[in-house]
Amino acid sequence: MKAFKGCINPECKAYKKIHYKKDDQFCLKCGTSLSYVCAECWKPMENGDEKYCISCSAEKEQKKAENWDNVKKVGGGAVAAAGAAIVAVPKLIKDSDNLAKNAKKAADAAAVVIKLVKK
């Protein structure tokens, strides 16, 4: 997205609030001539080619790089956790099979005890 025009008069009600079109020349509130402004800090820019000034775009790139570093760190931890889960799930399945067999044996034993008690 390209830059937009804005009023650069700090005392104006439209300052940092109204985004003017490319064709507009003057502020509707105070009459000051409009200029292309940075979308982040509202600093006047020379042309409307970029949305952010040099300092804001550098700051955004730095934050983007930091976010990617954090994602890589968290992603590495998630991959390690997923690997541990992949190892643990088959063991749980194997244990659950043994648990089911033992539960069936216990139920059969309980049935035999109940039959003996009834006699």
Side-chain angles (χ1 to χ4, degrees), residues 18-38:
I18 298 177
H19 298 194
Y20 289 97
K21 296 178 184 175
K22 185 178 179 180
D23 301 340
D24 294 336
Q25 297 296 322
F26 298 100
C27 176
L28 297 175
K29 303 288 182 184
C30 69
T32 305
S33 63
L34 300 175
S35 176
Y36 286 107
V37 292
C38 173

Side-chain angles (χ1 to χ4, degrees), residues 50-104:
E50 299 293 325
K51 184 175 182 176
Y52 300 106
C53 64
I54 295 170
S55 60
C56 290
S57 61
E59 185 177 321
K60 284 193 169 292
E61 287 296 322
Q62 184 178 9
K63 284 183 182 179
K64 188 176 180 181
E66 287 174 6
N67 287 341
W68 272 111
D69 289 342
N70 290 337
V71 166
K72 288 177 186 176
K73 288 177 187 174
V74 172
V79 168
I86 289 171
V87 169
V89 168
K91 183 168 176 35
L92 288 173
I93 291 171
K94 187 176 181 181
D95 290 344
S96 67
D97 289 340
N98 289 336
L99 185 64
K101 288 177 188 176
N102 291 337
K104 186 172 184 337

Side-chain angles (χ1 to χ4, degrees), residues 106-116:
D108 292 342
V112 169
V113 169
I114 291 172
K115 285 181 185 177
L116 291 174

